[in-house]
Amino acid sequence: QHQRFWVEPSAVAGDVSSAGLVSADHPLLGAAVALPESGGRLFTGRLSLRTHPWLADHTIHGTALLPGSALVEMALRAGDAVGCGHLEELTQETPLALPESGAVQLQLTVGGPDDSGRRTVNLYSRFEDGPADLPWTHHVTGVLTTEGPTAPAETGLGQWPPADASPIDLADRYASAAAHSGIEYGSAFQALRHAWRRGAEIFAEVALAEDMRPEAGRFGLHPVLLDAALHTVADLTADDDGRVRLPYRWTGMSLYATGATTLRVRLSTERPDGMAILLADESGQAVAEVDAVATRTFTSEQLTGGRRPHESLFRVEWMSIPAGSAGVGPDHAHWTLVGPGGAELRTALETSGGRIDEYDDMGALLRPDASAPDVPDLVLLPFLTDPATDSVAAADDLVSATRQATHRALDALQVWLAEERCADSRLVVVTRGAVAAVAGEDVPDAAAAAVWGLVRSAQAEHPDRFVLVDLENLEWAAEAIGAAVATGEPQLAVRGGGAYAPRLTRALVPVAPARDAVWEPDGSVLITGASGVLGGLVARHLVVRHGVRSVVLVSRRGRDAAGAAELEAELADIGARVVFEVCDVADREALAGVLARISADRPLRGVVHAAGVLDDGVVEALTPERVDAVLRPKVDA
């Protein structure tokens, strides 16, 4: 009989006053709180397919997505609460995917007013059933203003259907989209009733389903109506790679009346920056207006954010660790140093009063007739420069210094691994200034940093054979190295008398980050390695997220690289100027030519160095030549 008797879940917020909040009085937003320091406001909400079942009727490739019209509706509601009823601009960075079960938490922030009364608006979400430190995903950024246009006295939509307009056949509009592109509009979103075309103008009539009309009064403009207004012109197809075209930037939107259930629509498609939309009620009176709606393509990975509910980004953080309970002590120390550059360390170790043996290289230590028949438990391999003097000299010849250091480290690692007598001993690589372990630190010894990278790989292949220790200075070196090694950690940084070890932690995203002013939209950003996957992702991110409007993409193949034409078309579609350059960035003269050709009206304002060469191999199989080939696009460039 198709009659339901179940109690429907309610999305209406309960009493939030006991938590110090006020009701947002909106179907998509539950509560609000004023932010006294900034003069802004925070809105929170919770969305799920159980509490908002109509959202399940807007799916792409099987994933329910919150339509861009809902993002606009929430921004307008937040702006209305702070006296900024005009949406100057709203840009969607990442689509908001809804899980099949569970819910997502929302935080919509409105910043304090600037001198002209404008406020920024940002929307974030995270999965409700994830861990407590799950980061927030940034979806939308925009600007709200206090002043906007007044409702037009004449919309031209009083006569209906419009004169001289030809009907558009909509018979299989939604079925075709579902069958050929993976874009499926369920009954709730199949709100397009009629459509006509007149030159560059398209007219349409959209209406809510009967069971959705009682809720319309709680919205400013129901998202279904605004989304359906675009169904006549939206590209309801996907290419072979599964990319779909969706609205992503809304410019100049004003709402003149609320609670509509049926709308007349006029779309003007001749604008270069997108489609203009005028919405009117059944009498032809203006309800809302949008200066321009721009669309762009999204991949299936971008639609879902590339992650599942419990996945998130991680970063390395150096954590303080307790001192080891056993190890080398200053009263009974026996130190073995291998290789050049250990004179300064030897002087520091002599204060411990212990025995010190030195060898020119690993071969000298391990040859059969060596003075020490057994390999010591600990062998120190120093890579030390004087941060006050040597780092300056190294900067003048960084390429040579890095090659020499990595070649020496590779030789020592390979000899150590080849000698069976070393199986129960540990090789301790000692550096100074090779890692930034505490806040405000720099990395003055870039060559030693490269050595750390090489030894990290060796540690992954041969656990418990190597230890990395980075010292702040050589004062109390014996105690510092002994205590660090006694912790049992493979990688340590000694700072201020304490030891720090690297740990993976969730890369938490701030709820309300300040507007990023690093990237100047009027300048150019040069991206090396632009033909690779990483280079393409960086280019998209700079254009979409940071508003960069000129990118110089440098690679060995330039425009001939696979996917280059598609990337150029995608970025140009968003409004960016793309310049391809063929260049080996390790060639100083060729790179200088690239820089000289950058347009004077779009001067260079940023560089992202993503060029790289892959040459995988276990440490025993590496050669100095293979190391140099990998270092060339990194260090030389």
Side-chain angles (χ1 to χ4, degrees):
Q1 294 178 338
H2 302 288
Q3 243 183 312
R4 290 178 56 87
F5 294 94
W6 303 109
V7 176
E8 291 292 343
S10 173
V12 179
D15 181 13
V16 295
S17 59
S18 61
L21 308 172
V22 297
S23 173
D25 192 25
H26 192 273
L28 303 179
L29 298 171
V33 63
L35 304 176
E37 184 174 350
S38 65
R41 193 163 300 191
L42 170 66
F43 295 82
T44 64
R46 179 182 182 276
L47 298 181
S48 76
L49 299 184
R50 186 172 184 272
T51 58
H52 300 77
W54 55 277
L55 292 176
D57 284 348
H58 186 270
T59 65
I60 300 179
H61 298 307
T63 299
L65 291 183
L66 191 69
S69 56
L71 305 174
V72 170
E73 166 66 16
M74 287 189 284
L76 285 172
R77 169 65 186 92
D80 183 64
V82 295
C84 292
H86 180 67
L87 185 60
E88 183 176 286
E89 180 183 333
L90 191 76
T91 301
Q92 180 174 219
E93 175 187 347
T94 305
L96 200 164
L98 300 172
E100 294 182 7
S101 61
V104 293
Q105 299 171 336
L106 301 180
Q107 288 202 358
L108 189 150
T109 63
V110 179
D114 63 12
D115 294 340
S116 63
R118 300 163 78 248
R119 296 173 181 258
T120 59
V121 59
N122 288 275
L123 178 70
Y124 305 83
S125 81
R126 70 176 183 179
F127 293 102
E128 184 179 65
D129 57 355
D133 61 348
L134 189 71
W136 293 84
T137 298
H138 183 254
H139 295 284
V140 164
T141 185
V143 177
L144 297 161
T145 63
T146 57
E147 298 182 0
T150 57
E154 177 56 46
T155 62
L157 299 179
Q159 180 181 350
W160 202 252
D164 303 326
S166 303
I168 298 175
D169 184 10
L170 303 176
D172 62 347
R173 187 67 169 170
Y174 292 112
S176 176
H180 298 102
S181 67
I183 305 175
E184 187 168 356
Y185 294 99
S187 58
F189 277 83
Q190 292 183 14
L192 182 60
R193 300 292 182 259
H194 306 284
W196 301 265
R197 183 185 299 276
R198 185 176 66 192
E201 293 181 317
I202 294 177
F203 300 89
E205 182 178 309
V206 295
L208 292 175
E210 287 295 333
D211 60 345
M212 300 184 67
R213 295 193 172 206
E215 187 83 344
R218 299 190 60 221
F219 290 92
L221 178 60
H222 201 292
V224 166
L225 292 177
L226 183 55
D227 187 76
L230 299 172
H231 291 179
T232 55
V233 294
D235 185 0
L236 300 181
T237 61
D239 59 20
D240 294 337
D241 295 327
R243 296 181 298 186
V244 295
R245 181 169 292 277
L246 298 172
Y248 92 101
R249 176 177 292 166
W250 306 71
T251 306
M253 179 164 185
S254 296
L255 184 62
Y256 307 126
T258 62
T261 59
T262 300
L263 290 175
R264 297 175 178 179
V265 182
R266 184 182 72 202
L267 299 170
S268 301
T269 60
E270 70 273 11
R271 287 183 60 121
D273 55 347
M275 298 170 289
I277 307 175
L278 178 61
L279 305 174
D281 60 20
E282 292 177 280
S283 66
Q285 298 298 309
V287 171
E289 197 170 14
V290 185
D291 289 344
V293 178
T295 62
R296 58 163 289 208
T297 57
F298 289 90
T299 65
S300 57
E301 184 82 356
Q302 291 169 320
L303 294 176
T304 61
R307 60 187 177 94
R308 296 181 176 89
H310 300 301
E311 291 179 345
S312 61
L313 296 176
F314 289 81
R315 63 185 176 89
V316 174
E317 182 175 347
W318 290 82
M319 311 288 285
S320 177
I321 61 172
S325 58
V328 180
D331 296 331
H332 54 276
H334 174 198
W335 303 103
T336 301
L337 276 68
V338 175
E344 191 180 5
L345 180 58
R346 176 192 174 94
T347 301
L349 293 177
E350 287 175 343
T351 60
S352 67
R355 170 184 163 190
I356 301 176
D357 296 328
E358 286 187 277
Y359 298 88
D360 292 336
D361 54 35
M362 196 66 68
L365 168 68
L366 300 177
R367 70 174 183 264
D369 60 341
S371 57
D374 297 323
V375 179
D377 291 339
L378 294 178
V379 175
L380 305 185
L381 182 66
F383 288 86
L384 299 171
T385 60
D386 185 344
T389 58
D390 292 353
S391 60
V392 177
D396 294 335
D397 194 10
L398 179 61
V399 174
S400 176
T402 304
R403 276 171 166 69
Q404 291 176 13
T406 52
H407 291 178
R408 183 162 70 90
L410 177 62
D411 178 70
L413 296 178
Q414 290 177 331
V415 173
W416 183 266
L417 291 171
E419 176 56 64
E420 294 182 359
R421 290 183 294 158
C422 298
D424 297 325
S425 301
R426 282 182 292 175
L427 181 63
V428 183
V429 178
V430 183
T431 61
R432 177 175 51 193
V435 294
V438 297
E441 252 191 343
D442 199 355
V443 181
D445 195 342
V451 170
W452 264 67
L454 179 63
V455 178
R456 280 195 188 104
S457 295
Q459 288 178 329
E461 298 165 15
H462 302 277
D464 303 323
R465 300 292 303 276
F466 305 103
V467 180
L468 283 161
V469 178
D470 190 76
L471 303 176
E472 185 176 23
N473 54 62
L474 296 185
E475 186 178 5
W476 305 106
E479 291 82 352
I481 295 174
V485 172
T487 65
E489 294 282 345
Q491 302 165 26
L492 294 131
V494 180
R495 300 291 188 270
Y500 295 80
R503 296 288 188 266
L504 279 182
T505 61
R506 293 188 185 276
L508 300 180
V509 180
V511 171
R515 272 185 162 269
D516 192 341
V518 173
W519 305 101
E520 298 183 22
D522 294 333
S524 295
V525 174
L526 184 148
I527 303 173
T528 71
S531 62
V533 173
L534 180 59
L537 291 173
V538 169
R540 291 183 181 92
H541 184 73
L542 289 176
V543 172
V544 174
R545 177 68 179 90
H546 296 286
V548 172
R549 287 296 170 262
S550 178
V551 289
V552 180
L553 306 182
V554 181
S555 66
R556 289 177 176 269
R557 298 183 60 192
R559 195 187 299 274
D560 294 333
E566 292 79 3
L567 177 62
E568 180 180 23
E570 181 180 342
L571 299 182
D573 192 41
I574 300 173
R577 184 173 69 173
V578 181
V579 176
F580 284 97
E581 289 278 3
V582 178
C583 176
D584 174 4
V585 290
D587 184 328
R588 185 179 184 87
E589 184 176 345
L591 185 57
V594 171
L595 298 177
R597 288 191 293 274
I598 294 178
S599 176
D601 62 335
R602 299 285 181 91
L604 185 64
R605 289 291 182 261
V607 175
V608 178
H609 183 43
V613 168
L614 182 66
D615 190 1
D616 287 343
V618 295
V619 66
E620 293 94 331
L622 294 180
T623 64
E625 292 74 22
R626 294 179 69 182
V627 171
D628 289 349
V630 174
L631 289 177
R632 178 177 168 83
K634 293 299 183 185
V635 181
D636 299 44

